Amino acid sequence: MSRTIQPTLTVLRRRQVEARTGLPRSSLYALITAGQFPAPIHLTTQSVGWLEHEIDAWIAERTQASRPDVQPGRVA
């Protein structure tokens, strides 16, 4: 039996997402509703979190959209 090893997934809580994006809770949920921000995953019946790589990808997309001449990972 072979097992596939998956990369470690890091889950961010709402305050961490707010700190990374600079967006308040209301804006996060408005963007989620509009389909413009990654939806959270349910951790328990009363808590959610976001996958770090999805938040990082969203930030990179927003950076590219607002600064098309800047390459990801490169200082302008």
Side-chain angles (χ1 to χ4, degrees), residues 53-71:
H53 73 273
E54 291 182 352
I55 301 307
D56 290 344
W58 183 87
I59 292 169
E61 289 169 9
R62 297 305 311 141
T63 302
Q64 185 63 30
S66 65
R67 297 182 182 164
D69 56 327
V70 175
Q71 297 295 320

Side-chain angles (χ1 to χ4, degrees), residues 1 5 9 13 16-17 20 24-25 32 35-36 39-40 42 45-46 49-51 58 60-61 65 67 75-76:
M1 176 191 274
I5 298 174
L9 296 177
R13 298 304 303 269
Q16 292 172 298
V17 174
R20 284 199 181 194
R25 179 180 59 188
I32 291 166
Q36 299 174 358
H42 290 275
T45 57
Q46 296 183 359
W50 283 260
L51 297 176
W58 183 87
E61 289 169 9
R67 297 182 182 164
V75 178

